[in-house]
Amino acid sequence: MSSMKGSAAEQVGVLQWSTGTANSTPLAGTAADMELFGKALVIFRLGDMAAETIDCVVETCDSNGANNVTLKAATQLAAHASNNDSKVIVIAVDSNEMAASGKTHIRGTITTGAGTGGTCSIAVLGLECRYGPVGENDNAFVVEIVE
């Protein structure tokens, strides 16, 4: 029996989602505002990746994504022709971990060791909403919530 009340849509906010190509130039997600959430999951989804090392990093940043500082990083994935394809990496963030940076926003980045890279996505889900219903704090790109 769960101690959390309400539907999943009332417990988890969709703060950010980016899809693109990561290579030696990072795929950098849009800054996600953590002021309303106690925790977040940053989910990295790799597509068909080239045989290059892959770095998945969560950074603290300003609201425009500037002045970014590494907060957490996953273990670098070794270069391989197929081992990294269709993999998912999840990095959990507690808002208390951001205090030293003085920042209120986070973003994920994916970088590969060379110029080929591959298509991938970064999602940020907010947990432990501090004020109001979670759905009211979803990013503006969320157009419908079905419970």
Side-chain angles (χ1 to χ4, degrees):
M1 183 171 181
S2 173
S3 62
M4 297 178 77
K5 299 196 183 325
S7 71
E10 295 170 330
Q11 297 172 28
V12 180
V14 181
L15 306 184
Q16 189 277 325
W17 198 292
S18 298
T19 299
T21 300
N23 47 43
S24 55
T25 301
L27 170 63
T30 305
D33 188 352
M34 287 293 294
E35 289 181 294
L36 300 175
F37 294 89
K39 296 181 179 183
L41 291 178
V42 183
I43 303 167
F44 302 87
R45 173 74 161 101
L46 306 177
D48 183 8
M49 304 303 288
E52 302 165 356
T53 59
I54 301 172
D55 293 296
C56 297
V57 176
V58 175
E59 303 171 332
T60 58
C61 59
D62 294 337
S63 61
N64 64 357
N67 299 311
N68 47 314
V69 176
T70 297
L71 179 64
K72 289 185 168 183
T75 302
Q76 183 180 69
L77 298 175
H80 192 278
S82 60
N83 280 358
N84 298 325
D85 294 351
S86 302
K87 298 295 187 226
V88 173
I89 294 153
V90 178
I91 298 178
V93 175
D94 187 302
S95 61
N96 295 326
E97 297 169 324
M98 301 168 58
S101 73
K103 309 282 184 196
T104 59
H105 289 70
I106 60 171
R107 72 177 191 169
T109 65
I110 304 173
T111 310
T112 66
T116 304
T119 302
C120 45
S121 3
I122 304 167
V124 180
L125 303 179
L127 306 159
E128 297 183 2
C129 187
R130 294 184 172 125
Y131 311 104
V134 171
E136 292 178 7
N137 298 309
D138 282 333
N139 192 295
F141 61 70
V142 177
V143 296
E144 183 178 9
I145 298 171
V146 178
E147 298 202 40

